[in-house]
Amino acid sequence: MNTAINLLSVVPMRKEAAHRSEMVSQLLFGEYVNILEEEEYFSKVKCMYDGYEGWIQSNQLTTVNEVLETNKYVSSWVEEISINGKNINIPMCSPVYSTDHGMVHFGGMEINYFMDDDSFWNSSERAITKSSLKEVYKKFIDTPYLWGGKSVFGIDCSGFAQQVFKMFGIKLLRDAYLQAGQGSVVAALEETKLGDLAFFQNENGRITHVGIVLENHQIVHASGKVRIDTIDEDGIINSETGRRTHRLHSMRRYF
C-alpha cells in the first residue's frame, strides 16, 4: 500500500472518481493518506488522521516513503511557507513537522516553514479552557459553510468540531454521527461543560449537525457560517433571527 502526503494548501476529497462528484472531505497541507486504489486521474485514499475514505486527483498527492509524527499545528489563520523556493499559504490547523532550522523534506520536496518548531501550536501542551478554546474558534468565526470543508476557507459542522478538537490533541472522526459514537454521554444540557459537543437531529431522528458548547447557554457551530448562537433543551436558536434552527439529540464529552 502506497503512502502519500498533500503538499498543496487544501485539496478536495470526492465521493467518486470525478471532478463533478460531491466533495465529502478535504486534506489540509501536510496530511497523509494511504492509497487504496488508482484510476487514470484519481486515487482512492484513506486519510491517516481519521480513517475517512474518498477520491483525490492523483497529481495533487506526493508519494513518500515514511510518515512523520507531530503534535504541532499552524495556529494563525494562514501561514506562509515555501516549497522548493516557491511561496504558498497554508491554512490554520495544518500539521507542522519537526524541522531542521525551519526545513523539512517530503518526497524530494524541500519545505521551509520560516519559523522554528516552538513558534507553532503544540496540542500536547494545551488544555481546553475558556481562553484557549476561544483562541482557536474565534479564527473560524464567519468562515462560510462548505459541505465537506474543513479549513478556514470553508468548513462544515463536523469539520469545524474536528479541527478545533485537533488543536487540543483530541482526535475526532469526520462526520457528526461518527463523532456521536465517541466520548462519553452527558445526560442533560445543564450537566454540560465548556467544550462538550452537542448533536442535533433531523425529522427522522438522524444526527445531522454538531456544535461546541460554550458557557452561558451558547454554542459555536457551522450553519451558513461559523457562528455563536443560543442553545436550550430543545436545540439551537439563531441569535440574530430568534428562530429555532436545530433540534437537540444528545451531548458527549471527550476530555
Side-chain angles (χ1 to χ4, degrees):
M1 182 182 299
N2 291 330
T3 301
I5 192 171
N6 170 37
L7 294 181
L8 301 173
S9 59
V10 56
V11 300
M13 180 184 292
R14 301 194 180 278
K15 186 175 182 179
E16 298 175 351
H19 291 294
R20 65 180 178 274
S21 178
E22 169 190 356
M23 186 175 75
V24 293
S25 191
Q26 295 176 323
L27 288 183
L28 303 186
F29 180 91
E31 291 193 316
Y32 288 98
V33 296
N34 289 319
I35 298 176
L36 307 177
E37 184 180 340
E38 294 182 272
E39 293 195 358
E40 184 176 5
Y41 300 110
F42 284 82
S43 298
K44 187 175 184 181
V45 302
K46 183 175 184 177
C47 180
M48 294 182 67
Y49 181 79
D50 59 17
Y52 210 70
E53 296 183 9
W55 292 87
I56 289 180
Q57 194 173 338
S58 299
N59 63 9
Q60 294 181 325
L61 297 171
T62 299
T63 56
V64 292
N65 295 320
E66 64 175 334
V67 175
L68 303 180
E69 301 291 335
T70 188
N71 294 315
K72 296 180 180 180
Y73 301 95
V74 172
S75 59
S76 53
W77 197 77
V78 294
E79 186 73 35
E80 187 175 40
I81 66 169
S82 73
I83 303 178
N84 288 347
K86 183 178 180 179
N87 289 14
I88 69 168
N89 287 296
I90 62 175
M92 182 176 173
C93 299
S94 296
V96 175
Y97 299 95
S98 293
T99 63
D100 179 14
H101 302 293
M103 293 285 190
V104 65
H105 294 83
F106 297 105
M109 308 286 277
E110 183 178 84
I111 314 301
N112 188 342
Y113 287 106
F114 301 128
M115 299 195 306
D116 59 36
D117 284 359
D118 293 337
S119 301
F120 294 102
W121 181 284
N122 190 334
S123 64
S124 64
E125 298 175 352
R126 298 283 186 152
I128 292 181
T129 64
K130 183 176 180 178
S131 60
S132 65
L133 183 60
K134 184 176 182 179
E135 186 177 354
V136 176
Y137 76 68
K138 72 178 182 180
K139 294 174 184 173
F140 283 96
I141 293 294
D142 290 331
T143 294
Y145 181 90
L146 175 65
W147 179 270
K150 62 177 198 179
S151 83
V152 290
F153 308 133
I155 203 162
D156 63 22
C157 63
S158 55
F160 172 63
Q162 184 191 61
Q163 296 309 298
V164 171
F165 272 52
K166 180 171 73 175
M167 300 294 272
F168 298 96
I170 301 170
K171 186 175 289 189
L172 293 182
L173 296 175
R174 180 61 182 88
D175 290 337
Y177 77 95
L178 297 172
Q179 296 169 356
Q182 298 178 265
S184 58
V185 173
V186 179
L189 185 63
E190 59 268 21
E191 297 177 11
T192 57
K193 296 181 179 180
L194 178 78
D196 288 345
L197 291 187
F199 296 92
F200 305 86
Q201 61 189 324
N202 63 13
E203 61 276 8
N204 298 317
R206 181 173 178 269
I207 292 174
T208 58
H209 191 65
V210 60
I212 303 171
V213 177
L214 305 178
E215 296 177 328
N216 301 318
H217 303 286
Q218 290 187 315
I219 186 168
V220 59
H221 64 131
S223 179
K225 61 182 180 181
V226 177
R227 54 181 300 115
I228 296 176
D229 286 319
T230 300
I231 183 172
D232 62 17
E233 292 78 5
D234 294 321
I236 295 176
I237 300 172
N238 185 294
S239 60
E240 296 171 351
T241 67
R243 296 179 59 185
R244 187 169 300 282
T245 58
H246 298 84
R247 187 156 59 98
L248 187 61
H249 178 278
S250 56
M251 292 77 62
R252 311 284 291 195
R253 181 166 300 148
Y254 304 82
F255 56 91

